[in-house]
Amino acid sequence: MNWERLTPLRIALLLGVLVTALRISSCRYLELVDVRAVDYRLIQRGIQPGSPDIVIVAVDDASLEAVGRWPWPRSIMAQLVERIADTGAAVIGFDIVQSERTANVASAQLPAHVDGVDAKALEAIRVALRKGSNDDALLAEAIAKSGRSVVGYFLDFNRPGAATGDQVSGYNLVHGSKQGRGEARVHQSKAATMNLPEIQSAARERGYFNFIPDDLDGYYRRVPLVLRLGDDMVVPLSLAMLRVVRPREPLSIRFADFGVEAIDLGPVSIPVAEDGQLLINYRGPGKTFRHVSAADVLAGRVPPDVLKDKLVLVGVTATAVADVRATPFDGVFPGVEIHANVLDNILRQDFIQQPKWIVLVEIAVIGLLVLILGLVLQHARGVLGAATAATLIVAYLAGSQWLFVHYGMPLSLVYPLLAIGLCHGSISLQHYVVEERNKRKIRNAFELYLTPAVARVVSERPEMLALGGDTRQLTVLFSDIRGFTTISERFQSDPHTLVALLNDFLGGMTDVIFACDGTLDKYVGDEIMAFWGAPLPQADHAARACRGALGMMARLAQLNKEFHQRGWPSLDIGIGLNSGPMVVGNMGSARRLSYTLVGDNVNLGARLEGLNKLYGSHIIASESTVTESPDFVFRELDLVRVKGKYQGVRIFEVLGPGDERPRWAPLVTRFESGLQAYRTRQWDEAINTFGAILEENPNDGPARLYLGRVRGMLDAPPPLDWDGVTVMETK
């Protein structure tokens, strides 16, 4: 993959498209996270007081203890209806179904045959006993008398049966869709568990109390405001109760091809999903709405004003009955209180709204977030990039929570945050891959003339590849093979051997330079140019260079032994060292760079290398290099004025490391004595001194040079203004 072409902005836009596709496709696992996020928003918003217009008459544990086990006799339920109606309640809704007839104990216990009693007479007694059981009729009468009762029933989606719309409440107005496509989105049942016919008929309205759990995790977050019983669109308990309270406001439903388009209670538009379910804006955990014990109502212990003009829900909350649901606020939430929350949402018109166009808003938000992040991360890196992503996350969380609390619109959390996370992670990865690749390129390039360790450090500073340079205090080294032209001519017919010899030589010398942390500048034929003090600063650059030069001579001795075994000629080299300010940096063009040195001090280093031929030495260093390398042994060779220079330069031969000072001390002292005699025109003393050196070491090149010079001075004495400086007319 070409990571360089994938700019941060392109990556951000691609990921924006990917997350948008996920949002449209509604990935199940992400949807679960999203609905849990809505739960979290409700919890973050906090508990809100339930509407004071809604009261729950609860068949609670205290009621069961006072009245008896559930279900209660219909006569007790009739008394409960009468007591509530007498308080002036606006409507009474039953989250209870009375589907089975009350059994007559006396009739059931009458034997089938009694000795001496005629069978017809026994049957007549049995009929009379049945007529004496009027509990069901009492409840039906109480409900009818109240004139404001709404009974609940249960739609069974798993039981087959014949659909019936008798004695159920439907919508006043139903605007169907073309070919009934929208209606098909509504859940359909063919069977229902109804109240007894007389009870069902006595009620003012009838509404189902079914809840449908979320198939993602079983939580109850929504309530269906419309279900189908056969072909009839029926209403829930909550809407049936509101229709009693607001009889002049028609209840209508409108379908479109995609499903339910709108549900209206008079001027109030209730936002529902395509299948007609309302996302409940829960006020809090259980008992957020006022609960009144049914036992207290039956005993007359509840003041009438508690229930007067209230929407009263009658339901079972006793622990033994376990009519509870798992909701965002509470894992054991009373089922009857779900109806209370629905009533509250509609009365206050305080809904959680997820209109159809909210998807477009979320897509636009995703696009905006990834665009901002992509543009910022074009330039931002590290902490700044992470801070930008964190700021966008915090801003979106705060903004979306504000929108939720004030307008009830829960913008998706998972998809925008996923977009931010993926963008930041992917772009950070792209930055890392590209930077690592660039570093590797830089490292590979620098390893050609730097040690691997130094190359790794330099690769961390890619700005060094920019054109330009700076002036630093450095030490430069030049090395050249003596008589290489002659050697080349010898191998003219065998160029491969010449190349092998040169490669072995250059490789060995480069290893020594790298071992001393030097930087290889270039090879020019058999010549080597290296330096110390750049690209990484080195306070002891001169000492490292001296150590490198001595190491090169030692390595050359080893190579010559190997060359001799191969039948190759031995090599001899000269090395020049100079320290001082030099300009170092990448020079060349944008297409081809060379990390190199320029300046007068670089040129002087090259001149010093060439002087080795004259003095018969191997390593010549300038005075500046010697001054910065006190731990090495040097002997002064001369004061020279090289071509292109007007000022004399004191030059020295590098003899060895400081621990070899005792070995070299006699030679250095004697040579300095001879050099002093030479400069003061004491020709005889100079001849004797240099001659003595040659007697001990016939191969001492500097002593032989000065002995020849002194003898020449005897034949042709220098002028009176001679200052002892040797002028070099050639490079």
Side-chain angles (χ1 to χ4, degrees):
M1 181 181 292
N2 191 342
W3 287 89
E4 286 81 355
R5 296 188 63 185
L6 285 176
T7 63
L9 184 57
R10 287 181 178 177
I11 292 175
L13 294 177
L14 285 173
L15 290 173
V17 172
L18 173 63
V19 175
T20 298
L22 287 174
R23 174 65 184 91
I24 294 172
S25 64
S26 299
C27 174
R28 179 178 177 83
Y29 299 105
L30 294 179
E31 287 297 313
L32 174 59
V33 177
D34 223 11
V35 296
R36 290 284 178 87
V38 176
D39 298 347
Y40 175 75
R41 282 175 161 170
L42 284 169
I43 296 170
Q44 281 293 103
R45 181 209 64 194
I47 299 172
Q48 296 178 336
S51 171
D53 294 329
I54 301 170
V55 179
I56 296 172
V57 173
V59 181
D60 53 10
D61 291 329
S63 298
L64 296 187
E65 185 176 348
V67 178
R69 62 183 295 180
W70 184 261
W72 289 346
R74 301 282 159 75
S75 58
I76 300 296
M77 293 301 297
Q79 292 179 33
L80 183 62
V81 173
E82 291 171 354
R83 295 281 187 178
I84 297 173
D86 289 344
T87 64
V91 62
I92 308 169
F94 288 89
D95 184 31
I96 299 166
V97 62
Q98 310 275 357
S99 60
E100 297 180 359
R101 292 195 174 277
T102 303
N104 187 293
V105 178
S107 173
Q109 292 179 347
L110 190 68
H113 303 283
V114 178
D115 293 339
V117 179
D118 182 67
K120 291 184 178 180
L122 193 62
E123 180 62 25
I125 294 171
R126 187 176 288 110
V127 170
L129 288 173
R130 286 199 196 102
K131 290 181 178 179
S133 174
N134 62 350
D135 280 9
D136 296 341
L138 286 174
L139 179 56
E141 182 180 348
I143 288 174
K145 184 179 179 180
S146 72
R148 69 201 75 172
S149 295
V150 179
V151 296
Y153 61 91
F154 180 75
L155 295 178
D156 194 335
F157 294 94
N158 299 316
R159 178 166 60 89
T164 175
D166 297 340
Q167 298 182 327
V168 296
S169 299
Y171 281 84
N172 300 107
L173 298 172
V174 177
H175 302 279
S177 63
K178 295 178 181 179
Q179 301 178 354
R181 293 177 182 174
E183 291 87 332
R185 294 294 301 273
V186 177
H187 295 276
Q188 183 180 32
S189 172
K190 292 186 177 297
T193 301
M194 298 286 188
N195 294 277
L196 294 174
E198 57 268 35
I199 294 175
Q200 197 85 354
S201 298
R204 174 79 173 271
E205 292 284 349
R206 294 147 290 273
Y208 60 83
F209 48 70
N210 294 73
F211 305 126
I212 300 175
D214 198 322
D215 60 356
L216 293 170
D217 57 2
Y219 273 59
Y220 288 81
R221 299 183 178 88
R222 301 175 183 271
V223 62
L225 295 189
V226 59
L227 289 174
R228 284 197 297 165
L229 180 59
D231 294 327
D232 295 311
M233 299 293 170
V234 294
V235 299
L237 179 64
S238 54
L239 287 182
M241 292 175 66
L242 288 173
R243 190 154 60 182
V244 172
V245 176
R246 300 178 177 180
R248 295 178 180 274
E249 297 179 1
L251 188 59
S252 64
I253 184 169
R254 185 168 61 255
F255 290 94
D257 286 343
F258 58 79
V260 179
E261 185 175 10
I263 291 179
D264 298 318
L265 177 61
V268 179
S269 181
I270 305 171
V272 293
E274 289 85 348
D275 59 355
Q277 294 204 71
L278 170 70
L279 183 59
I280 305 172
N281 187 1
Y282 281 103
R283 299 305 177 193
K287 294 192 176 180
T288 301
F289 292 85
R290 185 168 187 177
H291 282 227
V292 176
S293 176
D296 291 340
V297 174
L298 288 169
R301 293 191 292 266
V302 178
D305 60 330
V306 172
L307 301 179
K308 183 177 175 58
D309 297 327
K310 301 297 191 292
L311 283 75
V312 178
L313 281 160
V314 180
V316 183
T317 64
T319 306
V321 180
D323 181 23
V324 294
R325 308 286 192 274
T327 66
F329 274 104
D330 195 341
V332 285
F333 193 81
V336 65
E337 200 158 346
I338 296 179
H339 299 295
N341 276 276
V342 175
L343 287 170
D344 177 274
N345 290 180
I346 298 173
L347 288 174
R348 295 183 180 183
Q349 299 184 45
D350 183 14
F351 303 107
I352 297 178
Q353 303 183 60
Q354 290 182 312
K356 312 299 183 294
W357 47 262
I358 201 170
V359 176
L360 300 178
V361 174
E362 291 172 359
I363 292 172
V365 169
I366 290 169
L368 179 62
L369 290 173
V370 299
L371 180 62
I372 293 173
L373 199 57
L375 290 173
V376 172
L377 293 181
Q378 291 265 65
H379 310 287
R381 299 287 192 277
V383 175
L384 182 57
T388 301
T391 301
L392 289 176
I393 290 173
V394 171
Y396 182 75
L397 287 175
S400 60
Q401 183 67 9
W402 180 87
L403 190 66
F404 174 75
V405 171
H406 290 83
Y407 294 97
M409 285 192 181
L411 286 178
S412 171
L413 285 185
V414 63
Y415 295 101
L417 296 186
L418 178 65
I420 295 173
L422 285 177
C423 278
H424 180 259
S426 300
I427 293 173
S428 296
L429 177 63
Q430 189 259 2
H431 285 165
Y432 175 79
V433 170
V434 171
E435 287 176 5
E436 281 299 308
R437 183 174 294 177
N438 290 338
K439 287 178 182 178
R440 187 164 58 250
K441 289 179 181 178
I442 296 168
R443 190 160 54 246
N444 292 340
F446 270 94
E447 281 180 353
L448 296 176
Y449 47 93
L450 291 175
T451 63
V454 176
R456 281 193 297 273
V457 176
V458 173
S459 66
E460 300 296 327
R461 297 176 56 196
E463 67 273 10
M464 295 184 64
L465 284 183
L467 287 172
D470 55 351
T471 301
R472 298 193 198 177
Q473 197 73 16
L474 308 173
T475 297
V476 67
L477 177 150
F478 284 91
S479 170
D480 193 26
I481 299 176
R482 295 175 181 171
F484 186 70
T485 302
T486 303
I487 295 173
S488 300
E489 291 176 352
R490 174 179 171 180
F491 288 100
Q492 188 172 4
S493 60
D494 188 6
H496 296 292
T497 301
L498 177 63
V499 172
L501 181 148
L502 187 58
N503 286 343
D504 286 354
F505 166 76
L506 294 175
M509 298 301 103
T510 302
D511 290 343
V512 174
I513 292 170
F514 282 177
C516 296
D517 298 323
T519 299
L520 178 66
D521 187 307
K522 63 175 68 73
Y523 303 125
V524 182
D526 61 310
E527 182 184 57
I528 299 173
M529 179 181 174
F531 53 89
W532 280 260
L536 297 182
Q538 295 167 325
D540 59 342
H541 54 84
R544 291 174 186 263
C546 292
R547 190 178 304 115
L550 292 171
M552 291 170 69
M553 295 305 302
R555 179 62 176 141
L556 181 63
Q558 297 174 357
L559 287 174
N560 281 334
K561 291 180 181 179
E562 297 175 9
F563 293 167
H564 178 72
Q565 293 174 356
R566 300 180 195 176
W568 295 352
S570 297
L571 303 181
D572 192 12
I573 63 173
I575 299 173
L577 299 172
N578 184 38
S579 302
M582 307 174 197
V583 177
V584 60
N586 275 296
M587 303 176 197
S589 68
R591 293 183 175 273
R592 188 170 183 85
L593 299 176
S594 176
Y595 192 72
T596 187
L597 308 175
V598 293
D600 287 343
N601 282 305
V602 179
N603 298 333
L604 178 57
R607 302 291 185 274
L608 296 181
E609 182 277 319
L611 293 180
N612 283 289
K613 298 177 183 179
L614 174 65
Y615 290 91
S617 57
H618 290 97
I619 307 172
I620 294 180
S622 66
E623 185 175 10
S624 58
T625 301
V626 173
T627 302
E628 296 184 32
S629 308
D631 294 331
F632 290 85
V633 182
F634 304 95
R635 67 167 165 177
E636 184 178 352
L637 292 179
D638 205 347
L639 184 63
V640 301
R641 185 179 296 116
V642 298
K643 187 175 179 60
K645 288 284 188 180
Y646 297 99
Q647 190 174 2
V649 177
R650 200 176 298 274
I651 62 174
F652 297 78
E653 181 183 16
V654 183
L655 297 176
D659 56 6
E660 294 184 4
R661 198 175 303 279
R663 171 191 168 190
W664 296 106
L667 172 62
V668 172
T669 301
R670 184 175 294 176
F671 194 86
E672 287 179 353
S673 175
L675 192 58
Q676 181 63 24
Y678 167 75
R679 289 173 176 168
T680 57
R681 301 172 183 257
Q682 299 177 37
W683 311 123
D684 292 336
E685 183 178 345
I687 290 174
N688 292 333
T689 302
F690 292 126
I693 293 174
L694 286 172
E695 286 180 4
E696 292 183 6
N697 184 9
N699 295 322
D700 190 284
R704 182 182 301 107
L705 172 68
Y706 274 97
L707 186 59
R709 279 187 182 178
V710 173
R711 287 173 178 168
M713 294 289 185
L714 288 174
D715 295 336
L720 294 176
D721 60 350
W722 177 65
D723 56 4
V725 176
T726 302
V727 179
M728 300 298 173
E729 299 295 341
T730 62
K731 294 184 179 181

